[in-house]
Amino acid sequence: MEVVIVPDAKAGGELIAGAIGALLSRKPDALLGVATGSTPLPIYQALTAKVRSGEVDASRARICQLDEYVGLPAGHPESYRSVVLREVVEPLGLSEASFMGPDGTAEDVQAACEAYDKALAAAGGVDLQLLGIGTDGHIGFNEPCSSLASRTRIKTLTEQTRIDNARFFDNDISQVPHHVITQGIGTILESRHPILLATGEGKAEAVAQTVEGPVAAFVPASALQLHPHATVVVDEAAASKLKLADYFRATYAAKPRWQGI
């Protein structure tokens, strides 16, 4: 696992957008896994700016969802499909044909989960998967004690996660669904390059447990330690509880530029 400490969220967004641009230059039709929430917005903003300036060609890129609420009506503004279309697909000038995600409105949710897992494999697998992290260490919606071998499936959200997400529903927790479809940890680990971005002091403990703690289902993000090419990008606040922060700064400063992230 590589840990990169950046000054702030904007710098993290620029760094990761640069990595996506480098990937698209090598593989123009790369499948990019995207996350929702406020944390990855600087990535999408920086990538959109690079596309519009002509620095990056994303015209053949493909986009896939990490997760989706169960039960929100089609077209609901806070369904993750709507959010990804609004924040990623449309700004990059892509069409819905380039986008794939699980069906949170399906009558048979389990079948929808299995179908999405198969669709990702049929698409050649995810080349780069963007991740955020919850205050309890979850990635996707793999809550604490999720199986580290789990596949795309339905999960029940913890009360804390529903509280954290209420800000997207007019701060009314009663509107936040109780269930989601999420890529499982095993599914996420099949991506060729997972990149986790964490910002803010509120994520510091989860980051420390993810990077320096044991691999444990209690901290789902810690499973990234098992991946041969996982990158964790954190701002100074999110890095504040890392015991090896100085080491991570030194190793990244000494890294050859051609290696990228």
Side-chain angles (χ1 to χ4, degrees), residues 4-14 16 36-43 131-135 167 196-207 232-240:
V4 183
I5 301 174
V6 294
D8 51 34
K10 182 178 180 180
E14 287 285 348
I16 297 171
T36 54
S38 56
T39 299
L41 289 178
I43 303 171
L131 300 166
I133 187 170
T135 53
R167 67 188 188 278
L196 186 152
L197 175 63
T199 57
E201 189 175 358
K203 301 295 179 69
E205 182 60 34
V207 166
V232 175
V233 179
V234 292
D235 68 359
E236 291 289 351
S240 61

Side-chain angles (χ1 to χ4, degrees), residues 66-98:
L66 180 61
D67 39 41
E68 180 60 276
Y69 285 118
V70 171
L72 288 184
H76 189 289
E78 293 308 322
S79 75
Y80 287 142
R81 181 180 184 88
S82 294
V83 172
V84 170
L85 289 173
R86 186 168 65 241
E87 296 180 349
V88 184
V89 175
E90 293 172 3
L92 294 180
L94 302 175
S95 68
E96 284 198 47
S98 66

